Amino acid sequence: VDVFFAGEFGIAEGDFALTAEGCVSGDISGSVQVTPSGLVRGTLDGLPISLRLNASGDVMITALLDDDIQEFIVAVKRPADAVTADFEGVWNFVDLGSPTDLTKSYYNSMTQMNRQAPSDSFAGANEQFVDTFFRGAFYAESGSATVASDGSFTGFASGTMTTTANGTAALVIGEGPETFYLNASKNLMIRVKREDGDINEQRITVIVKAPPSLSIADLAGPWRFSNMETPNRLVEVYFNHTTGQTRNSIDSSDFAGRTGQTESLVDMFFPGDFGVGGGGVGIGTDGSLAASFSGGECGRQHRRLDHVDKRRREL
Amino acid sequence: MIRKILSGPGAALLASLVISSTAFAADLSMLAGDWRFASVTNPSAVRESYYNSNTMQTRQSVNSSDFAKAGE
């Protein structure tokens, strides 16, 4: 038995110019239009896309299901200029990371030793595939930092946040700098990063600037959301040749034969669902949530191992 | 608004980004300019490959309920 991901983990980023006529050129190209309900729809790199736009017209989001992948996209309109003092204030962030590969473990019946290898490996002579697990960890972190006018900040960590060319932000926390991309309103930044090798992770970070003050009534109005959901572990199924029974792995360190009896790895599955979703909700002045508004496109799709829809779609 | 959830073993990692909508006031001239995009991609499935020692053939799983059969 062998296992592999149907698609690949990955990150992508780039620049594009959007004209008042809706022409898109740069690292992606195509054309878009704005719908009466405020969605940005069109064709980019030959594929249909539907993006959700924020009120100031400088952030777009979407989540996609493709053949064997799911993708979460954020785009920001770049500011005409920015200075370090623009960062002054309280910023809140979320950082979402996942491993990008599996490790396989093979048991050699001759040497009675286990061998661990990357996901593209195969069992050798006298080897039995007994275990697989994510190489690296899933994580979701959040926090806040207060930035001074000179760019120094304290909070979840101490460091500096300064402007660089083209309105980007350079964050230095011990090491770095890390480049974040700022929107035109200068209240949101994005970053994606991938590290292979020993670290083996990819992450997306979104940072938003907190308003100086906020009341529930300030949130009133139509809102749109996009989300992406990914299971954070695999469950393995082992067949016991003595008892004729199967059992599920209890954690990522479990493997076929751990019971001391002869077992074979016969199946594996994700205990959670993959999925992307999105839609629109209305928030009342009292904070109540209203039903989806016109053009909200509420939708959600989940799948496990089996899916047959070959058409790229936006939900 | 931004939200993240990393729930317990077996459950899912969920990211959600919520933005205030333009409602009905946006037009393309408002969006014209230079943009930066960033995305993360995850595979949405794993495939299993089974080797049948009797037929010496391999096959790939067809769905999540597929598992190794006799001889595999």
Side-chain angles (χ1 to χ4, degrees):
Chain A
V1 65
D2 187 22
V3 63
F4 55 92
F5 285 113
E8 292 186 353
F9 288 92
I11 64 168
E13 57 184 330
D15 299 302
F16 64 91
L18 175 58
T19 70
E21 292 73 39
C23 295
V24 176
S25 61
D27 292 324
I28 54 174
S29 59
S31 62
V32 295
Q33 294 293 324
V34 177
T35 71
S37 58
L39 296 172
V40 178
R41 283 181 165 161
T43 302
L44 294 177
D45 287 347
L47 296 172
I49 195 162
S50 178
L51 297 147
R52 295 176 176 85
L53 182 67
N54 72 334
S56 52
D58 59 0
V59 179
M60 296 189 284
I61 56 174
T62 194
L64 309 170
L65 275 178
D66 206 336
D67 192 9
D68 287 317
I69 63 166
Q70 54 188 22
E71 185 172 13
F72 190 79
I73 303 171
V74 185
V76 294
K77 185 179 178 182
R78 308 286 292 277
D81 55 55
V83 295
T84 296
D86 291 330
F87 297 133
E88 184 176 8
V90 176
W91 293 76
N92 297 305
F93 75 91
V94 295
D95 189 22
L96 192 69
S98 71
T100 61
D101 199 6
L102 292 170
T103 292
K104 293 178 181 174
S105 182
Y106 303 100
Y107 177 72
N108 188 308
S109 57
M110 295 298 288
T111 64
Q112 298 185 335
M113 302 289 288
N114 278 308
R115 175 176 69 93
Q116 292 190 349
S119 60
D120 57 356
S121 63
F122 297 96
N126 304 311
E127 285 186 331
Q128 180 188 3
F129 180 36
V130 294
D131 189 22
T132 187
F133 51 89
F134 283 105
R135 185 159 58 94
F138 289 89
Y139 62 87
E141 297 174 339
S142 62
S144 65
T146 300
V147 184
S149 58
D150 65 356
S152 62
F153 65 81
T154 56
F156 77 98
S158 297
T160 60
M161 183 189 298
T162 55
T163 51
T164 58
N166 300 322
T168 59
L171 262 70
V172 177
I173 306 172
E175 57 185 29
E178 302 274 357
T179 299
F180 284 70
Y181 290 87
L182 186 66
N183 67 336
S185 300
K186 303 172 186 176
N187 56 15
L188 182 143
M189 291 186 283
I190 58 173
R191 187 276 302 264
V192 288
K193 183 178 183 180
R194 177 173 171 139
E195 294 181 89
D196 293 315
D198 292 338
I199 295 177
N200 192 60
E201 70 175 24
Q202 63 183 37
R203 57 170 59 183
I204 183 168
T205 310
V206 180
I207 310 178
V208 293
K209 192 174 188 179
S213 63
L214 183 67
S215 68
I216 290 296
D218 293 331
L219 302 179
W223 291 74
R224 288 210 166 91
F225 65 92
S226 293
N227 63 33
M228 183 171 77
E229 191 173 347
T230 302
N232 58 22
R233 72 183 180 98
L234 275 168
V235 173
E236 296 168 322
V237 181
Y238 311 117
F239 176 74
N240 187 311
H241 294 268
T242 303
T243 65
Q245 302 291 311
T246 60
R247 70 176 180 91
N248 291 350
S249 58
I250 54 174
D251 56 37
S252 61
S253 64
D254 204 352
F255 56 89
R258 190 183 192 184
T259 58
Q261 297 180 313
T262 303
E263 293 180 324
S264 293
L265 173 59
V266 294
D267 194 17
M268 60 197 70
F269 60 89
F270 289 106
D273 292 335
F274 291 94
V276 298
V281 294
I283 298 181
T285 54
D286 59 352
S288 60
L289 290 179
S292 173
F293 58 86
S294 175
E297 293 188 314
C298 273
R300 186 175 187 82
Q301 177 166 341
H302 282 134
R303 57 183 168 184
R304 288 175 184 260
L305 296 180
D306 49 334
H307 61 93
V308 295
D309 191 344
K310 302 297 183 185
R311 181 173 58 86
R312 183 169 180 148
R313 69 180 97 183
E314 300 76 44
L315 297 176
Chain B
M1 287 186 279
I2 49 178
R3 187 173 73 128
K4 55 83 193 173
I5 298 174
L6 180 59
S7 47
L13 181 73
L14 178 68
S16 179
L17 184 60
V18 186
I19 59 175
S20 59
S21 171
T22 58
F24 314 103
D27 61 54
L28 278 170
S29 62
M30 177 183 177
L31 309 185
D34 294 324
W35 288 73
R36 179 78 180 184
F37 72 90
S39 76
V40 289
T41 303
N42 290 342
S44 56
V46 293
R47 299 271 185 262
E48 295 158 323
S49 181
Y50 303 107
Y51 175 74
N52 189 309
S53 55
N54 296 323
T55 64
M56 293 189 290
Q57 300 288 313
T58 60
R59 69 174 181 89
Q60 288 188 8
S61 57
V62 294
N63 57 42
S64 60
S65 61
D66 197 357
F67 55 89
K69 306 295 193 307
E72 294 180 332

